[in-house]
Amino acid sequence: MATMADVARSAGVSVATVSHVLNGTRPVLPHTRQAVLDAIDRLGYTPNTLARSLVTSRTRSIGLAVSAISNPYFTEILQGVEAGALEHGYSLLIADPHDDPEHERRVVQLLHERRVDGMIVAPSANPRELVAYLGRHDVPTVFLDRLVDTCAEGAPRYDQVCAESAEPTADLVTHLADLGHRRIALVAGLPGLSTTRERIAGYRRGLAASGLTYDEHLVVHGDSESAGAERVTAALLSLADPPTALVTANNAMTIGALRALRDRGLAVPDDIALCCFDDFAWADLFSPRLTAVAQPSKEIGTQAVRVLLERLAAPDLPTRTLRLPCVFVHRTSCGCPEGSARPEHPERPAQFEKGTIS
C-alpha cells in the first residue's frame, strides 16, 4: 500500500508539501499541487483519515441537519452542500431533525459526538435548545435557509446563509395587483420560522405598494406542508368574499393549494390566479405553468460550506449573514398569456439583482 512518503518521492516534493495539499493547511503552487495529485492518482494512495484526525483533531467531516430532505428544495440544498464539501475534501454526516426542537437538539448532539468539524443546520421554529447546545460546546455552525436571532441575552452569534424572502414575496403580490387583483391571499408557512415572518412582511409590503388594504382573514398558515395548505386554502375559498388570487409560500404548500382548488372545481388562472414562492423541476410542466420565485438552493448549500470552512480556518472572523438573490420566473398561472411580457410596476425593480451580507 502506497504511503505519503511514496507520493512525495513520486511527485518530487517533501512529505510536508503532500500533507499541505491533502489538508489544505498551507497554500501550494498550482503546478506543485497538481504534481502531488497526479502522484496520488498514479500510486492509488488513500489517506489514513483516522490517523490524520488523531494528529490534527480534525475529521474533515461536516454535520448537516436539514428537515424534509425529500422536499425538492432541500434536496437541491443538500446537493450544493455535498458538492462544496467534496470539492474541499470533506465528507458529510446527514440527519433529519423533522422540524421538532427536541429531536433537533438530539440529532445535532449525535453529529457532534461523531466529532464533525462543524455543523450546517436548517433550524426549527423554536431552536432555543439547539442554540444553547451549540453555544455550550462551542461548535462552529452555519445556519442555512432559516435565520436565527442568536444575539439575545448574550447568546453566541452564528454565520447564516439564506435567500432573500421579503422583497421577492412583495414582487409576487404587486405583480398580481398589476393584473387587477384586489383580494390577494397568502398561504404562509410554519409560524415561528424566519422565512414565514419575512414572507408575510413581504406580502404586506406588496399590498402597501399597490395601495391595497391588509386583511388578516386573507393570511393563513399552511405550516409549510401540503396537507396543511390544502386545508387552509379550502377555508379561504369558503370566505364570504374569497380571494381572486393566491400566493403560496413554498413548493409543498403550492401542491396542497392546487389540490384544494381542484376539489372545488376551480381552474387556474381562469377562476383564481396563483403565484408561488419556490420554483421546482416540474413547475414548468403544470397546466397552466406556474409563475414562481426561484431560490438559488444549490448555491445556498455551497455557500454554507464555504462560510463554514472560512470559520474553521479563522474562528475570530466577524459573524455574517449572507442573503442570496432570487429570480422571478414569469409563466402563466398568474393569468398572463403565454409568452407575454411581464407588466412593470412603477416603484418596483425589474429583477432581484443583489444579495446582501450583514
Side-chain angles (χ1 to χ4, degrees):
M1 180 179 294
T3 67
M4 191 180 294
D6 296 329
V7 173
R9 280 193 296 272
S10 179
V13 299
S14 68
V15 172
T17 298
V18 175
S19 177
H20 292 319
V21 170
L22 291 172
N23 298 313
T25 47
R26 185 177 299 173
V28 176
L29 290 173
H31 69 274
T32 303
R33 173 182 171 82
Q34 190 58 53
V36 170
L37 294 176
D38 289 345
I40 288 172
D41 184 57
R42 186 165 55 250
L43 298 173
Y45 171 70
T46 303
N48 186 332
T49 55
L50 177 58
R52 184 169 62 192
S53 69
L54 292 173
V55 172
T56 65
S57 297
R58 293 282 182 89
T59 61
R60 297 193 71 80
S61 62
I62 294 170
L64 175 66
V66 177
S67 295
I69 292 174
S70 60
N71 183 311
Y73 170 67
F74 282 115
T75 299
E76 290 188 2
I77 283 182
L78 172 58
Q79 291 171 354
V81 172
E82 183 179 41
L86 184 62
E87 179 183 355
H88 293 92
Y90 279 75
S91 60
L92 281 183
L93 277 69
I94 304 171
D96 187 339
H98 301 295
D99 271 332
D100 176 82
E102 184 177 349
H103 189 63
E104 173 180 66
R105 199 273 306 156
R106 286 201 303 268
V107 300
V108 165
Q109 180 177 343
L110 287 172
L111 290 171
H112 182 222
E113 290 172 353
R114 287 348 182 240
R115 299 183 63 197
V116 295
D117 294 338
M119 301 272 193
I120 296 175
V121 182
S124 68
N126 183 16
R128 183 177 303 175
E129 288 191 32
L130 167 68
V131 172
Y133 179 88
L134 295 172
R136 280 196 307 272
H137 297 278
D138 195 25
V139 182
T141 302
V142 174
F143 291 125
L144 61 70
D145 182 60
R146 304 154 175 182
L147 301 185
V148 173
D149 180 6
T150 60
C151 300
E153 299 180 1
R157 290 199 61 193
Y158 294 94
D159 299 304
Q160 310 196 79
V161 179
C162 65
E164 297 281 3
S165 275
E167 192 60 34
T169 306
D171 207 60
L172 292 176
V173 173
T174 54
H175 177 61
L176 290 167
D178 290 345
L179 296 175
H181 293 282
R182 295 295 175 263
R183 297 280 289 171
I184 303 170
L186 174 68
V187 181
L190 187 68
L193 295 178
S194 67
T195 48
T196 299
R197 293 192 299 271
E198 291 179 1
R199 290 168 198 175
I200 291 175
Y203 166 79
R204 299 189 67 156
R205 188 184 305 171
L207 292 177
S210 302
L212 301 179
T213 302
Y214 173 75
D215 181 347
E216 64 180 8
H217 297 101
L218 292 181
V219 177
V220 293
H221 288 275
D223 294 340
S224 302
E225 47 92 22
S226 178
E230 184 175 358
R231 181 181 65 255
V232 298
T233 300
L236 284 171
L237 299 175
S238 297
L239 292 173
D241 188 9
T244 63
L246 288 179
V247 174
T248 52
N250 81 354
N251 55 15
M253 292 191 295
T254 299
I255 301 302
L258 286 169
R259 288 198 183 102
L261 297 176
R262 179 200 61 193
D263 290 347
R264 288 294 185 100
L266 297 177
V268 177
D270 296 339
D271 299 315
I272 186 168
L274 175 67
C275 290
C276 53
F277 203 106
D278 275 351
D279 200 21
F280 44 99
W282 53 89
D284 196 40
L285 302 178
F286 280 87
S287 181
R289 298 162 61 237
L290 298 180
T291 294
V293 165
Q295 299 190 75
S297 46
K298 289 184 181 178
E299 182 69 8
I300 289 172
T302 56
Q303 290 295 332
V305 173
R306 179 183 64 81
V307 170
L308 178 60
L309 296 185
E310 290 175 356
R311 171 65 51 200
L312 292 173
D316 295 329
L317 279 175
T319 55
R320 54 191 162 158
T321 296
L322 176 62
R323 289 179 176 269
L324 302 180
C326 295
V327 175
F328 187 102
V329 184
H330 186 210
R331 299 189 182 107
T332 57
S333 66
C334 54
C336 292
E338 187 74 51
S340 64
R342 176 183 166 204
E344 284 300 330
H345 189 280
E347 299 179 358
R348 183 187 62 227
Q351 190 53 272
F352 319 125
E353 295 178 348
K354 296 180 180 178
T356 59
I357 299 177
S358 61

